[in-house]
Amino acid sequence: TQLGDWGYTHLLRIRGDNYCAIRASLFQTLSIGNITDCSLLANVASPEECVDPMFVKYPFLENWSFGNREDFSKLGTKEKALKICVANLVYQLDKVNKTTDRIDGIVHFFTEINTNSSLLFECSLMEAAKFFMFIKSAEYWELS
């Protein structure tokens, strides 16, 4: 059976690294909506401004664990590194949101980060996605 017979028109090869689940979640989330419209970014002038309040609200973020594929300490403190990661991701997602064909924009996004970007840049996008996922999980937990 051809995958196209089942309605699949785009496939993304997911690497077997520590970011594979995050990459897959990001792909799925992008395919169904605009994740830069989240409440975390609603009241800030720039994306990186959303990090500081989260470090105040969740002090255990100081224990944030970055993936081992790249040395994030060269970006400064964990808080500063996460600000860079968030800014990178939001900038890239804004480019996806501005494309006329959303699927082509998503495919281009993943193709670019998988083939034409530095390892640190690619990892920073995954760390930002991980950060947003963590914050959303914490918000859901607080509601329960």
Side-chain angles (χ1 to χ4, degrees), residues 28-100:
Q28 180 63 29
T29 303
L30 281 172
S31 66
I32 60 172
N34 178 355
I35 66 169
T36 57
D37 286 341
C38 71
S39 60
L40 191 59
L41 298 171
N43 298 315
V44 294
S46 63
E48 57 272 15
E49 288 180 23
C50 73
V51 175
D52 288 330
M54 295 301 107
F55 268 74
V56 171
K57 187 173 183 178
Y58 305 112
F60 49 83
L61 283 172
E62 285 295 332
N63 298 320
W64 186 265
S65 175
F66 288 99
N68 294 325
R69 286 184 63 205
E70 188 58 57
D71 179 14
F72 283 89
S73 66
K74 58 186 160 190
L75 298 178
T77 65
K78 290 180 180 184
E79 192 169 350
K80 184 176 179 184
L82 277 171
K83 287 179 184 182
I84 293 168
C85 295
V86 166
N88 286 343
L89 180 61
V90 171
Y91 174 75
Q92 293 301 314
L93 295 181
D94 283 344
K95 289 181 5 183
V96 170
N97 291 332
K98 291 176 183 171
T99 60
T100 54

